[in-house]
Amino acid sequence: MLDGREDQASGLRRLFRRAPPTVVAMFTAGRAPNALAARTLTDLASRARGVAVLDETPGEGGLLEAFGVESRGDLLHLIDGATPIGALVSELGSSLSHLSVGGAALALPLLDDDRRDHLVTGLAELQRKSQLMVIHGMQSEWARPSPFVLAAPGRMLVVEASARGVTDGVAIIRHLAGAGAGDLAVAVAGAKDRREALELFGQLDALVRRRVGLPLRLIGELGRDDLAARLQDQAPPKRERLASAAFLRRLSAWTHSNGMTGGQRA
């Protein structure tokens, strides 16, 4: 059972369900997960009008390294009330933007209302410019997902067509199931053809049904199918997402809980 992170994610969840954008937490399984994440984001951005990634990984050895870009700062820097969100966002492509949120994920429960509101306002501005928002969490933290990951209405696992991909995929799915995740969208990367992709998904689905019980659904192949469109088609109905000012209101509720640290707010 998770600690207070689930309670802290409730306000975030409402914000993330807002339309637009569609919000999904992304996980990658394979021999080079960050490189696979970079490939996936590039593909999503080639098919959607605007993709924003909220990245919890550090610069060194993280997602930005796969793009050869240095971080411009963390969402947490907005607490000064003077830094504009645009100063922290890196453009990784014509339709792909990046915002580091690792520091904010750790600090949010400790912030007072004014400082928290600065972060929420910045996120709301980024949302207005995005069609699809992707949460990229720390690989080492999959067993204890952050409130950002827990709040995302959708979850996608990109599995490399390899033994390592299947093995790591099952491990990730087990952690997500333990965190209370519902069903999970799966995309296959690197298969020789459609038949191999279907066979790999069948193998993964059979293992998960037997060992975990979390429902999986195949949404296609990376590079061959329009995963961005399929993620948006399968997003929660609009009537459910209206409560989403959600990610932001959920984010606000987050800071009123001391469940993560038990400490006092700054």
Side-chain angles (χ1 to χ4, degrees):
M1 182 176 179
L2 290 179
D3 49 26
R5 296 185 182 201
E6 173 57 33
D7 290 337
Q8 296 152 13
S10 59
L12 279 170
R13 185 172 296 121
R14 289 193 300 272
L15 169 63
F16 281 151
R17 283 180 180 153
R18 177 173 145 190
T22 296
V23 182
V24 60
M26 177 183 69
F27 310 90
T28 51
R31 290 162 290 189
N34 280 333
L36 181 55
R39 284 176 51 204
T40 303
L41 290 167
T42 300
D43 181 77
L44 292 174
S46 72
R47 302 171 187 273
R49 288 196 304 272
V51 176
V53 55
L54 302 186
D55 183 19
E56 297 179 359
T57 63
E60 185 175 350
L63 180 62
L64 279 181
E65 188 173 275
F67 283 97
V69 176
E70 293 185 1
S71 175
R72 300 181 65 186
D74 193 278
L75 174 66
L76 184 61
H77 292 170
L78 294 187
I79 62 173
D80 63 10
T83 302
I85 187 70
L88 306 175
V89 175
S90 299
E91 298 301 326
L92 304 182
S94 60
S95 190
L96 178 60
S97 58
H98 173 281
L99 175 64
S100 296
V101 299
L106 293 173
L108 257 169
L110 306 176
L111 301 179
D112 60 28
D113 289 351
D114 288 341
R115 290 171 178 166
R116 178 201 65 224
D117 288 347
H118 291 320
L119 305 192
V120 169
T121 299
L123 284 173
E125 182 178 340
L126 184 61
Q127 276 195 314
R128 287 193 294 271
K129 300 176 181 178
S130 306
Q131 185 177 35
L132 179 63
M133 184 171 278
V134 179
I135 315 300
H136 183 248
M138 286 285 290
Q139 182 173 348
S140 61
E141 292 295 315
W142 282 338
R144 300 178 69 247
S146 76
F148 282 89
V149 171
L150 289 172
R155 295 175 176 87
M156 174 179 67
L157 173 65
V158 183
V159 182
E160 179 185 77
S162 67
R164 177 68 178 272
V166 172
T167 300
D168 288 358
V170 172
I172 292 169
I173 292 168
R174 183 180 290 113
H175 290 320
L176 291 174
D183 66 343
L184 179 68
V186 175
V188 177
K192 291 184 299 185
D193 51 31
R194 185 73 75 183
R195 179 177 178 179
E196 183 179 69
L198 292 173
E199 288 177 350
L200 182 135
F201 175 76
Q203 178 185 3
L204 181 66
D205 190 44
L207 286 170
V208 170
R209 286 179 183 275
R210 186 164 64 248
R211 299 180 184 179
V212 184
L214 184 68
L216 305 182
R217 66 182 188 280
L218 180 64
I219 60 170
E221 294 181 72
L222 179 63
R224 291 189 178 129
D225 297 308
D226 189 344
L227 301 182
R230 293 183 183 182
L231 287 172
Q232 292 174 82
D233 288 345
Q234 297 177 18
K238 183 177 180 180
R239 64 178 178 276
E240 295 180 19
R241 287 185 270 160
L242 291 178
S244 141
F247 169 42
L248 295 178
R249 287 201 301 268
R250 165 97 168 157
L251 185 58
S252 298
W254 195 19
T255 65
H256 292 294
S257 169
N258 290 325
M260 179 183 289
T261 62
Q264 295 179 344
R265 286 182 287 163

